[in-house]
Short mmCIF file of all heavy atoms in Angstrom, two decimals:
data_model
loop_
_atom_site.label_atom_id
_atom_site.label_comp_id
_atom_site.label_asym_id
_atom_site.label_seq_id
_atom_site.Cartn_x
_atom_site.Cartn_y
_atom_site.Cartn_z
N GLY D 37 4.10 23.91 10.18
CA GLY D 37 3.96 22.93 9.11
C GLY D 37 2.53 22.94 8.61
O GLY D 37 1.61 23.37 9.30
N TYR D 38 2.33 22.46 7.42
CA TYR D 38 1.00 22.40 6.84
C TYR D 38 0.35 21.08 7.22
O TYR D 38 0.94 20.01 7.09
CB TYR D 38 1.07 22.51 5.32
CG TYR D 38 -0.27 22.26 4.66
CD1 TYR D 38 -1.26 23.23 4.69
CD2 TYR D 38 -0.54 21.06 4.03
CE1 TYR D 38 -2.49 23.01 4.11
CE2 TYR D 38 -1.77 20.83 3.44
CZ TYR D 38 -2.74 21.81 3.48
OH TYR D 38 -3.96 21.59 2.90
N THR D 39 -0.88 21.15 7.70
CA THR D 39 -1.66 19.95 8.00
C THR D 39 -2.95 20.04 7.21
O THR D 39 -3.69 21.02 7.33
CB THR D 39 -1.98 19.87 9.51
OG1 THR D 39 -0.76 19.90 10.23
CG2 THR D 39 -2.72 18.60 9.83
N ALA D 40 -3.20 19.03 6.43
CA ALA D 40 -4.43 19.02 5.63
C ALA D 40 -5.65 18.88 6.53
O ALA D 40 -5.59 18.23 7.57
CB ALA D 40 -4.38 17.87 4.63
N SER D 41 -6.73 19.48 6.12
CA SER D 41 -7.97 19.37 6.90
C SER D 41 -8.53 17.96 6.78
O SER D 41 -8.21 17.23 5.86
CB SER D 41 -8.99 20.38 6.40
OG SER D 41 -9.49 19.96 5.14
N GLY D 42 -9.37 17.60 7.70
CA GLY D 42 -9.99 16.28 7.67
C GLY D 42 -11.13 16.20 6.67
O GLY D 42 -11.79 15.18 6.56
N ASN D 43 -11.37 17.27 5.93
CA ASN D 43 -12.47 17.29 4.98
C ASN D 43 -12.06 16.85 3.58
O ASN D 43 -12.87 16.91 2.67
CB ASN D 43 -13.08 18.70 4.90
CG ASN D 43 -13.70 19.11 6.22
OD1 ASN D 43 -14.19 18.26 6.94
ND2 ASN D 43 -13.65 20.38 6.53
N ASP D 44 -10.82 16.44 3.40
CA ASP D 44 -10.34 16.05 2.09
C ASP D 44 -10.79 14.62 1.77
O ASP D 44 -10.33 13.67 2.40
CB ASP D 44 -8.81 16.14 2.05
CG ASP D 44 -8.22 15.76 0.71
OD1 ASP D 44 -8.98 15.62 -0.27
OD2 ASP D 44 -6.99 15.61 0.64
N PRO D 45 -11.70 14.42 0.82
CA PRO D 45 -12.19 13.07 0.54
C PRO D 45 -11.10 12.14 0.01
O PRO D 45 -11.13 10.95 0.29
CB PRO D 45 -13.30 13.29 -0.50
CG PRO D 45 -13.10 14.66 -1.03
CD PRO D 45 -12.35 15.44 0.00
N MET D 46 -10.14 12.66 -0.72
CA MET D 46 -9.06 11.80 -1.23
C MET D 46 -8.18 11.31 -0.09
O MET D 46 -7.73 10.17 -0.08
CB MET D 46 -8.22 12.55 -2.27
CG MET D 46 -8.95 12.80 -3.57
SD MET D 46 -9.51 11.27 -4.37
CE MET D 46 -7.98 10.57 -4.88
N ALA D 47 -7.90 12.18 0.91
CA ALA D 47 -7.10 11.77 2.06
C ALA D 47 -7.81 10.67 2.84
O ALA D 47 -7.20 9.70 3.29
CB ALA D 47 -6.81 12.97 2.95
N ARG D 48 -9.13 10.81 3.01
CA ARG D 48 -9.91 9.78 3.71
C ARG D 48 -9.87 8.46 2.93
O ARG D 48 -9.72 7.39 3.52
CB ARG D 48 -11.35 10.24 3.89
CG ARG D 48 -11.53 11.22 5.03
CD ARG D 48 -13.00 11.38 5.41
NE ARG D 48 -13.88 11.71 4.31
CZ ARG D 48 -14.15 12.93 3.90
NH1 ARG D 48 -13.59 13.97 4.48
NH2 ARG D 48 -14.98 13.13 2.89
N MET D 49 -9.97 8.54 1.61
CA MET D 49 -9.95 7.33 0.80
C MET D 49 -8.58 6.64 0.91
O MET D 49 -8.51 5.42 1.08
CB MET D 49 -10.24 7.65 -0.66
CG MET D 49 -10.31 6.41 -1.54
SD MET D 49 -10.62 6.79 -3.27
CE MET D 49 -8.99 7.31 -3.77
N ARG D 50 -7.49 7.42 0.84
CA ARG D 50 -6.15 6.82 0.97
C ARG D 50 -5.98 6.17 2.33
O ARG D 50 -5.41 5.09 2.44
CB ARG D 50 -5.08 7.88 0.73
CG ARG D 50 -4.88 8.23 -0.73
CD ARG D 50 -3.66 9.10 -0.93
NE ARG D 50 -3.77 10.38 -0.25
CZ ARG D 50 -4.36 11.47 -0.76
NH1 ARG D 50 -4.88 11.41 -1.97
NH2 ARG D 50 -4.40 12.58 -0.08
#
Side-chain angles (χ1 to χ4, degrees):
Y38 172 76
T39 303
S41 72
N43 296 328
D44 180 11
M46 290 301 290
R48 282 195 306 272
M49 184 181 78
R50 283 189 298 274

